[in-house]
Amino acid sequence: RVLGKTNRYEEALRAFRQALRIYPAESFLWVDLGRFFEDYRDVKQALGAYQEATRVGPNDVEAFQGLARALQAAGLPQEAQQA
């Protein structure tokens, strides 16, 4: 996430993808990726990352909070309330 904040978008994205190839079932990585995409206002990508985070981490509160934020940002307030 730090790389993303330093405007090194491509480098940060590569780092996330590499980490997720090694640890695909770690929901915190998917949550961090969702936050990264939120920082760049990429709602569609953030939504996908948070959906994956909730799939691999069904008890991860941060994953569901992120999913709700992304759904709200996508203009889906009813779905956000259910997340």
Side-chain angles (χ1 to χ4, degrees), residues 53-71:
T54 61
R55 187 185 73 76
V56 300
N59 298 316
D60 188 330
V61 173
E62 288 185 56
F64 283 94
Q65 290 172 337
L67 179 59
R69 277 193 316 274
L71 287 165

